[in-house]
Amino acid sequence: MKRFFTLTAALLVAVVVIAGCDTRQRDWEEARQADSLSAYQEFLEQYPDGEHTEAARQRIVEIREQDAWETARDRDTIEAYQTFVDDYPDSTHAAQAISRISELERAESWSRLQGSREASELEAFVRRYPDSTEADLARERIDQLDAELQAEARAREEAEARAREETEAAQAAELAATGGARVQLAAFRSEDQARSAAQQIEARHESLLEGIRIEILPPDQSSSFFRLRTSLLAADAARNLCTSLKDQGQDCLVISG
């Protein structure tokens, strides 16, 4: 009889163990089917140790990582992707997050620069992102700025030239009205000879001729020579200039008007 009770007790224990195993397996299958954070957490609360416990913990980590990745993609900001990379540096999505961070940083940088007039800033952008679409736009902007600067420089030069011409014309008119004079420096058979001589005279007597233009007068009815004469000067200034030039070995002649 005692042996009977012992066998009965052993059978009951076995039945309980089998029943428990069946319940754990059934709960595990239900958790897997639900495949949610709450389902796996509930399974771990009921079965903190034993079969399927590690698998449940791993799946919780995977679900949290996926949720974090989807949140980062929904927000689509540098800060959101950086948070994901910081939290999950070994994730399969980490490289994609880093790439998207670079794209967003490039877009923000270009948004600030596309209207810039600082070529150095645009050139720095091109160096940082040489193969991007925005880099091509930056190069176009640099070329545009260069063209604008050249046009502005030409406009300034033309304006300065006009101002000089107007000033010289006004001075010439004033000198002519008050009896101005020119200094004739030389005369030549050809224009080339005259131009070459003008350059030599200007270089040789640079200090005396500062601010004074040497003009080449073509032949006319009174002469068959190309004559070198200064721009119109006050009569006294023309005489003084000619005297100083002669002192330095340059022949000259003062011509009225």
Side-chain angles (χ1 to χ4, degrees):
M1 179 65 70
K2 184 176 181 181
R3 183 180 178 186
F4 173 77
F5 282 118
T6 301
L7 291 172
T8 302
L11 288 171
L12 287 173
V13 170
V15 169
V16 170
V17 170
I18 292 171
C21 291
D22 288 344
T23 301
R24 177 192 287 264
Q25 186 63 35
R26 184 176 63 252
D27 290 345
W28 172 242
E29 294 298 336
E30 289 178 354
R32 288 181 60 190
Q33 185 174 4
D35 197 33
S36 65
L37 194 63
S38 59
Y40 289 115
Q41 288 173 334
E42 184 179 346
F43 179 84
L44 287 177
E45 289 174 0
Q46 293 179 354
Y47 309 102
D49 298 301
E51 189 179 8
H52 305 308
T53 298
E54 186 58 33
R57 291 194 179 100
Q58 181 60 35
R59 186 60 186 141
I60 287 174
V61 171
E62 292 172 354
I63 290 174
R64 284 174 174 166
E65 178 184 322
Q66 186 61 32
D67 288 346
W69 173 240
E70 291 176 359
T71 296
R73 287 198 306 175
D74 289 342
R75 294 179 180 174
D76 197 34
T77 63
I78 293 174
E79 293 76 13
Y81 287 116
Q82 189 61 58
T83 297
F84 177 84
V85 172
D86 292 342
D87 292 342
Y88 302 97
D90 299 323
S91 169
T92 56
H93 300 299
Q96 188 175 350
I98 292 171
S99 177
R100 185 58 181 154
I101 288 171
S102 179
E103 291 174 358
L104 291 172
E105 287 177 341
R106 186 179 72 241
E108 285 188 4
S109 180
W110 176 242
S111 178
R112 293 192 301 270
L113 286 177
Q114 58 183 337
S116 175
R117 291 187 59 83
E118 294 296 329
S120 59
E121 294 179 349
L122 294 165
E123 289 167 353
F125 180 90
V126 171
R127 287 193 297 271
R128 185 174 182 183
Y129 306 105
D131 300 323
S132 66
T133 301
E134 294 88 347
D136 292 336
L137 297 174
R139 293 185 185 98
E140 292 177 3
R141 179 63 177 156
I142 291 170
D143 291 342
Q144 179 184 359
L145 288 174
D146 185 56
E148 290 176 358
L149 290 174
Q150 291 183 16
E152 291 172 359
R154 286 195 300 271
R156 285 195 300 271
E157 291 174 358
E158 291 172 358
E160 291 171 358
R162 286 195 298 272
R164 285 196 301 272
E165 291 174 358
E166 291 172 358
T167 299
E168 290 173 358
Q171 291 174 344
E174 182 179 356
L175 288 172
T178 57
R182 302 174 189 270
V183 177
Q184 181 165 309
L185 302 166
F188 299 90
R189 291 286 185 183
S190 73
E191 185 175 0
D192 289 341
Q193 289 177 324
R195 290 190 182 282
S196 177
Q199 293 174 357
Q200 293 175 10
I201 292 171
E202 286 177 338
R204 190 180 305 121
H205 307 290
E206 182 178 1
S207 59
L208 291 177
L209 295 173
E210 183 177 1
I212 299 173
R213 187 175 66 255
I214 296 179
E215 301 173 348
I216 300 176
L217 277 65
D220 56 21
Q221 293 179 351
S222 63
S223 174
S224 60
F225 290 89
F226 289 87
R227 291 154 294 169
L228 298 184
R229 289 183 182 177
T230 66
S231 52
L232 191 63
L233 304 172
D236 288 344
R239 286 192 292 271
N240 291 336
L241 174 60
C242 189
T243 299
S244 298
L245 287 170
K246 286 180 178 179
D247 290 341
Q248 294 186 7
Q250 174 63 50
D251 289 337
C252 59
L253 176 67
V254 176
I255 306 296
S256 299

